[in-house]
């Protein structure tokens, strides 16, 4: 059974350092068996996070980032932006043996594809690139990003789904190290404002941990989108 921890989506912005500390604590608890697999959902204060493969040329130069802090993190991938209007999910979950990181990334992509499809958005994968994408005026644009870390068989970091966030911060970086594509949001694609809080239930109702997926775990309970820990819906996509 997976727990869902909603850190006030739509009501508060979580400093990135607080999110890291929460992930670290939950990771240790899941590793030790003191806590079940847990999905954390939140919105961050504006921040750039640079994964281990970020090149200097991909970071904001001078005043280009508008004073937004850049934090180096231990996940895979390159630099991206988090901030208001973006739904961030941190699944702190144990991967079944044998550990298959690629399969886990594909599972997160499928989760996001199913979520945006439920809103009427046609998104897809792009060969050789993680995350989910949609085509805007002939240009491939990233709608949801994924970056993870696995230690002691348990994951941290996760996914970010662009809902109503501004796109200007991406102009200061080479987002995810990709120079020949764009970035978009659910609001831009649908032509109406879609807030992160409106997407929480769709994410939770479709999320299933890798161990539950491996065991064919059925749909088990109703979802609550209020702040706090609630049972997650477990259903295979």
């Amino acid at each position: 059974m997976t727990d869902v921890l909603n850190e006030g989506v739509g009501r508060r912005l979580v400093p990135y350092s607080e999110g890291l500390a929460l992930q670290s604590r939950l990771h240790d608890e899941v590793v030790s068996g003191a806590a079940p697999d847990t999905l954390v959902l939140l919105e961050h204060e504006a921040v750039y996070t640079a994964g281990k493969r970020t090149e200097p040329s991909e970071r904001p130069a001078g005043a280009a980032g508008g004073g937004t802090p850049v934090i180096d993190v231990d996940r895979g991938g390159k630099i991206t932006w988090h901030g208001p209007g973006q739904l961030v999910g941190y699944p702190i979950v144990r991967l079944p043996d044998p550990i298959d990181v690629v399969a886990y990334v594909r599972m997160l992509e499928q989760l996001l594809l199913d979520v945006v499809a439920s809103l009427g958005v046609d998104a897809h994968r792009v060969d050789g690139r993680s995350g989910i994408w949609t085509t805007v005026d002939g240009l491939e644009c990233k709608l949801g990003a994924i970056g993870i870390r696995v230690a002691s068989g348990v994951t941290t970091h996760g996914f970010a789904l662009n809902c109503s966030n501004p796109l200007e911060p991406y102009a200061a970086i080479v987002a995810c190290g990709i120079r020949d594509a764009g970035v978009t949001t659910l609001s831009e694609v649908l032509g109406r404002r879609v807030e992160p809080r409106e997407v929480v239930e769709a994410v939770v109702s479709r999320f299933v941990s890798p161990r539950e997926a491996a065991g064919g775990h059925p749909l088990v309970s109703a979802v609550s989108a209020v702040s706090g820990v609630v049972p997650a819906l477990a259903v295979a996509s």
Side-chain angles (χ1 to χ4, degrees), residues 9 28 47 122 130-131 143 147 161 222 225:
V9 175
D28 290 347
V47 64
D122 181 18
S130 66
L143 186 58
L161 181 60

Side-chain angles (χ1 to χ4, degrees), residues 70-158:
V70 180
I71 299 178
D72 291 288
V73 292
D74 57 4
R75 61 164 170 77
K78 297 202 172 193
I79 193 166
T80 192
W81 176 89
H82 296 308
Q86 182 187 73
L87 181 64
V88 173
Y90 294 135
I92 316 299
V93 298
R94 183 177 293 280
L95 298 183
D97 291 325
I99 290 175
D100 188 338
V101 175
V102 173
Y104 174 60
V105 171
R106 296 292 172 261
M107 190 191 82
L108 293 181
E109 289 172 344
Q110 191 60 54
L111 167 70
L112 296 182
L113 288 171
D114 291 344
V115 166
V116 303
S118 73
L119 298 171
V121 174
D122 181 18
H124 52 266
R125 294 181 175 92
V126 171
D127 288 345
R129 295 176 173 178
S130 66
I132 67 167
W133 302 75
T134 191
T135 306
V136 179
D137 296 329
L139 179 69
E140 294 288 9
C141 292
K142 181 169 273 192
L143 186 58
I146 294 172
I148 66 168
R149 179 173 187 263
V150 182
S152 300
V154 175
T155 66
T156 51
H157 302 285

Side-chain angles (χ1 to χ4, degrees), residues 153-232:
V154 175
T155 66
T156 51
H157 302 285
F159 61 84
L161 181 60
N162 292 340
C163 298
S164 59
N165 50 284
L167 296 176
E168 290 81 5
Y170 292 100
I173 61 173
V174 180
C176 304
I178 297 172
R179 300 177 186 273
D180 61 347
V183 183
T184 191
T185 67
L186 289 173
S187 296
E188 183 177 70
V189 172
L190 291 172
R192 63 177 178 84
R193 193 166 183 85
V194 180
E195 299 291 356
R197 65 177 180 273
E198 299 174 53
V199 186
V200 166
E201 183 173 353
V203 170
V204 176
S205 66
R206 289 165 175 79
F207 181 81
V208 57
S209 77
R211 286 187 293 176
E212 290 169 336
H217 201 293
L219 187 66
V220 292
S221 64
V223 58
S224 168
V226 298
S227 183
V229 177
V230 297

Side-chain angles (χ1 to χ4, degrees), residues 39-63:
L39 171 64
V40 180
L41 296 173
L42 52 77
E43 285 179 83
H44 275 306
E45 294 179 348
V47 64
Y48 292 109
T49 66
K52 293 182 290 185
R53 297 191 301 110
T54 302
E55 301 290 338
S57 63
E58 296 164 350
R59 296 170 179 263

